[in-house]
Amino acid sequence: MTDIIFTGDPHLAIGVSIPAGRHAETFYDEQRAKLNFIKQYGIDNKVKYLGFPGDILNYKNPSLYTASAINSLMKELKSLDEQYTVFSISGNHDLKFSSRNMKSESVYNIFTQGSVLSDIHGETIYINTSVSLSGIDYNANKEEFMTEVKLLNDSLNPEDVNILMIHEHLLPDGESIPFGHFYNYSAFAAFKNIKVIVSGHLHK
């Protein structure tokens, strides 16, 4: 039995505008097929928990989501919820204007209130007696984000296997990206109590 699996950045847009460059006649079916694969994997391997490290949704602007689209997405996420307890954090695409301050106005928030996603930003839960899972939402402020990671690290039991879900550009030392902010692996070396980091956002 596997306790938990993670899948990065699904960017769900079922029932919403189809992203540019995708085939309109197959796009929704492709997204549903991926969700069905994730669900079946859990059934076949008796997995209890699923972690989404952000960007569950594809569009930041709530006005793009009709009631029908929200209901379609709720149905798909509910199907996953039938197999797993689904833990999530919000990525930049889940937040209106990519801002935490607008989280309460986001469509992502509808799904956490609808109980198909269990948002764990700022929380630590135990998935078994010695393995914990924590989450920190996307944050464009690097200094504030690293302060959050430090405070979390200091609160964790060093004897446990502590997993952290984040939604940031996390790169090997010596690598960089030409846009936005990023972190190298060495920046997290001081956080000895965090044993595993699962990062969305980079799509790699």
Side-chain angles (χ1 to χ4, degrees), residues 66 73 143 150:
T66 63
L73 287 164
E143 183 177 347
K150 182 182 185 305

Side-chain angles (χ1 to χ4, degrees), residues 22 42 105 113 115 117 124 127 129 136 145 147 155 157 163-165 171 189:
R22 302 298 180 92
E105 299 180 32
Q113 297 301 308
S115 301
L117 297 174
T124 297
I127 60 176
T129 55
I136 300 177
F145 173 76
T147 297
S155 74
N157 183 346
I163 305 169
L164 171 61
M165 285 200 307
L171 307 174

Side-chain angles (χ1 to χ4, degrees), residues 162-199:
N162 301 305
I163 305 169
L164 171 61
M165 285 200 307
I166 60 175
H167 190 84
E168 306 292 340
H169 287 128
L170 184 58
L171 307 174
D173 290 355
E175 294 194 16
S176 62
I177 54 173
F179 57 91
H181 64 270
F182 65 91
Y183 305 87
N184 291 118
Y185 293 166
S186 58
F188 288 82
F191 306 125
K192 304 298 185 183
N193 297 339
I194 299 172
K195 305 300 171 60
V196 179
I197 297 175
V198 180
S199 183

Side-chain angles (χ1 to χ4, degrees), residues 124-141:
T124 297
I125 56 97
Y126 274 82
I127 60 176
N128 67 35
T129 55
S130 61
V131 178
S132 78
L133 177 66
S134 305
I136 300 177
D137 284 346
Y138 171 80
N139 192 343
N141 186 316

Side-chain angles (χ1 to χ4, degrees), residues 98-137:
S98 298
S99 170
R100 284 190 192 173
N101 294 332
M102 307 295 283
K103 188 173 182 177
S104 64
E105 299 180 32
S106 67
V107 174
Y108 171 86
N109 191 57
I110 294 173
F111 298 124
T112 63
Q113 297 301 308
S115 301
V116 294
L117 297 174
S118 180
D119 185 278
I120 61 165
H121 166 67
E123 297 183 20
T124 297
I125 56 97
Y126 274 82
I127 60 176
N128 67 35
T129 55
S130 61
V131 178
S132 78
L133 177 66
S134 305
I136 300 177
D137 284 346

Side-chain angles (χ1 to χ4, degrees), residues 4-192:
I4 188 167
I5 61 170
F6 300 89
T7 184
D9 296 48
H11 284 279
L12 297 178
I14 295 169
V16 199
S17 300
I18 294 173
R22 302 298 180 92
H23 297 292
E25 65 275 14
T26 60
F27 177 75
Y28 294 151
D29 288 340
E30 289 170 357
Q31 288 218 316
R32 288 190 177 98
K34 291 176 182 179
L35 292 174
N36 288 336
F37 174 85
I38 294 168
K39 181 176 181 179
Q40 190 60 49
Y41 184 93
I43 293 170
D44 294 343
N45 295 278
K46 299 180 172 61
V47 184
K48 298 166 61 178
Y49 305 110
L50 170 65
F52 279 133
D55 280 5
I56 293 89
L57 303 175
N58 195 54
Y59 299 110
K60 308 170 189 180
N61 187 347
S63 68
L64 295 176
Y65 293 84
T66 63
S68 176
I70 289 171
N71 287 335
S72 293
L73 287 164
M74 187 74 77
K75 178 181 177 182
E76 301 299 334
L77 290 170
K78 180 64 177 176
S79 180
L80 285 182
D81 182 62
E82 291 169 357
Q83 170 59 33
Y84 304 98
T85 298
V86 184
F87 297 116
S88 66
I89 57 170
S90 58
N92 57 308
H93 279 256
D94 299 313
L95 300 167
K96 186 177 180 180
F97 302 129
S98 298
S99 170
R100 284 190 192 173
N101 294 332
M102 307 295 283
K103 188 173 182 177
S104 64
E105 299 180 32
S106 67
V107 174
Y108 171 86
N109 191 57
I110 294 173
F111 298 124
T112 63
Q113 297 301 308
S115 301
V116 294
L117 297 174
S118 180
D119 185 278
I120 61 165
H121 166 67
E123 297 183 20
T124 297
I125 56 97
Y126 274 82
I127 60 176
N128 67 35
T129 55
S130 61
V131 178
S132 78
L133 177 66
S134 305
I136 300 177
D137 284 346
Y138 171 80
N139 192 343
N141 186 316
K142 290 185 69 172
E143 183 177 347
E144 184 177 285
F145 173 76
M146 292 304 279
T147 297
E148 290 178 307
V149 177
K150 182 182 185 305
L151 289 172
L152 171 66
N153 177 78
D154 293 346
S155 74
L156 297 172
N157 183 346
E159 302 301 318
D160 293 333
V161 178
N162 301 305
I163 305 169
L164 171 61
M165 285 200 307
I166 60 175
H167 190 84
E168 306 292 340
H169 287 128
L170 184 58
L171 307 174
D173 290 355
E175 294 194 16
S176 62
I177 54 173
F179 57 91
H181 64 270
F182 65 91
Y183 305 87
N184 291 118
Y185 293 166
S186 58
F188 288 82
F191 306 125
K192 304 298 185 183

